[in-house]
Amino acid sequence: MTEAATATETTAGTDGLVVLKGVNKHFGALHVLQDVDLSIAAGEVVVVIGPSGSGKSTLCRTINRLETVDSGTITVDGRPLPAEGRELARLRAEVGMVFQSFNLFAHKTVLENVVLGQVKVRRVARDQAEAKARALLDRVGVAAQADKYPAQLSGGQQQRVAIARALAMDPKVMLFDEPTSALDPEMINEVLEVMRQLAADGMTMVVVTHEMGFARSAANRVIFMADGRIVEQNTPEAFFTAPRSDRAKDFLSKIL
Ligand code: ADP
Ligand code: MG
């Protein structure tokens, strides 16, 4: 296992915005996260790639505590993840998450989808929340859809609403778990473009994706996972042109 030795080479110190130390997670006998150490700096864009089943989604889900861990620590902005209650709701607001399946509230309008969390979790006044929601919908290019229901929108539009909804909570970090994998090809770019803009604006982002063009153009760092471990990490340029591990070479040979 010489691959693991290179895993922490480009990891920042312990003062990252999101810091995982010695994180382990099992699903029954399956060891899905194995001694994961990861420090993400404020403003950093980290793209996570790796074969199916390597633990990418689980990694994301532990960061906003959709999954608990068996051992190790996770801190966001220096604070350990809260176990439950209002503190957990606040953490989930601070750690925005966008999933492959858009997960909008189907029975609420687009506007309401972006207003709701602000009012319920952030205790923002309704008119203020609406103004912010409209501004965010405009920012992601779906302002004209505000009064429609999610099912009336294209997949690309729905995903942009999901991004606006997460942004409405003023997150410190945004997690994207294969945000374009469920989209028709012609809609992928409109979502990636919103994400590129977000990255350019300085948002801290963790992005699980198979879009290598996005990784090359927007990531500060690429993390390659296999079998629950961070096998290799590097700048996109170095990773794509000179992967070091056999696992990464093999993976890249299949997708590029
Ligand atoms: P990836 O996102 O890289 O495809 P996941 O993090 O989704 O990988 O899954 C890692 C492994 O954990 C897979 O083998 C998957 O089947 C398993 N797994 C994920 N979630 C659960 C769960 N809730 N219960 C049992 N096994 C799970
Ligand atoms: Mg996944």
Side-chain angles (χ1 to χ4, degrees):
M1 272 292 164
T2 53
E3 288 172 355
T6 61
T8 55
E9 203 168 279
T10 59
T11 302
T14 52
D15 55 351
L17 181 64
V18 178
V19 181
L20 288 80
K21 281 188 197 161
V23 168
N24 283 279
K25 169 78 182 174
H26 296 78
F27 287 118
L30 197 63
H31 199 171
V32 283
L33 293 178
Q34 304 193 32
D35 300 320
V36 172
D37 290 312
L38 177 60
S39 179
I40 300 165
E44 195 178 9
V45 178
V46 173
V47 163
V48 181
I49 66 173
S52 178
S54 56
K56 306 179 299 295
S57 292
T58 305
L59 177 73
C60 278
R61 293 166 61 83
T62 60
I63 296 175
N64 70 353
R65 217 171 188 286
L66 287 172
E67 299 286 355
T68 56
V69 300
D70 300 331
S71 64
T73 59
I74 302 176
T75 56
V76 174
D77 209 7
R79 287 173 301 167
L81 301 193
E84 57 193 3
R86 278 199 66 73
E87 282 302 310
L88 181 56
R90 204 164 298 143
L91 167 91
R92 295 238 169 92
E94 286 178 1
V95 182
M97 180 126 185
V98 175
F99 302 87
Q100 180 174 331
S101 54
F102 326 119
N103 289 27
L104 296 174
F105 304 117
H107 55 294
K108 304 273 184 199
T109 65
V110 162
L111 183 73
E112 203 53 29
N113 264 276
V114 186
V115 163
L116 217 57
Q118 297 186 67
V119 172
K120 294 218 156 152
V121 178
R122 288 289 198 215
R123 305 274 190 235
V124 175
R126 177 142 203 116
D127 53 346
Q128 220 178 310
E130 276 195 29
K132 184 170 184 171
R134 288 191 191 280
L136 284 167
L137 290 172
D138 187 48
R139 180 171 166 193
V140 301
V142 291
Q145 319 299 326
D147 299 321
K148 294 186 181 163
Y149 287 84
Q152 296 173 281
L153 272 58
S154 72
Q157 289 173 325
Q158 288 187 57
Q159 196 59 305
R160 286 181 283 148
V161 173
I163 294 171
R165 182 175 63 173
L167 291 176
M169 307 302 278
D170 297 321
K172 290 177 177 158
V173 53
M174 286 279 286
L175 312 175
F176 294 87
D177 189 3
E178 301 199 27
T180 60
S181 295
L183 297 177
D184 292 333
E186 73 272 21
M187 290 167 193
I188 290 175
N189 267 325
E190 65 192 41
V191 173
L192 293 179
E193 195 42 53
V194 167
M195 292 168 61
R196 271 195 199 94
Q197 192 57 55
L198 206 52
D201 290 345
M203 177 61 74
T204 308
M205 294 165 57
V206 178
V207 184
V208 179
T209 186
H210 301 299
E211 295 295 330
M212 297 302 131
F214 176 84
R216 279 178 185 272
S217 64
N220 300 112
R221 176 160 44 139
V222 172
I223 286 183
F224 175 72
M225 286 187 77
D227 298 333
R229 290 181 188 277
I230 295 177
V231 171
E232 178 166 348
Q233 53 182 315
N234 218 325
T235 61
E237 169 69 16
F239 178 77
F240 289 115
T241 53
R244 291 171 295 204
S245 63
D246 290 341
R247 292 298 300 267
K249 285 176 193 164
D250 180 56
F251 179 75
L252 289 175
S253 75
K254 285 175 181 149
I255 59 157
L256 293 180

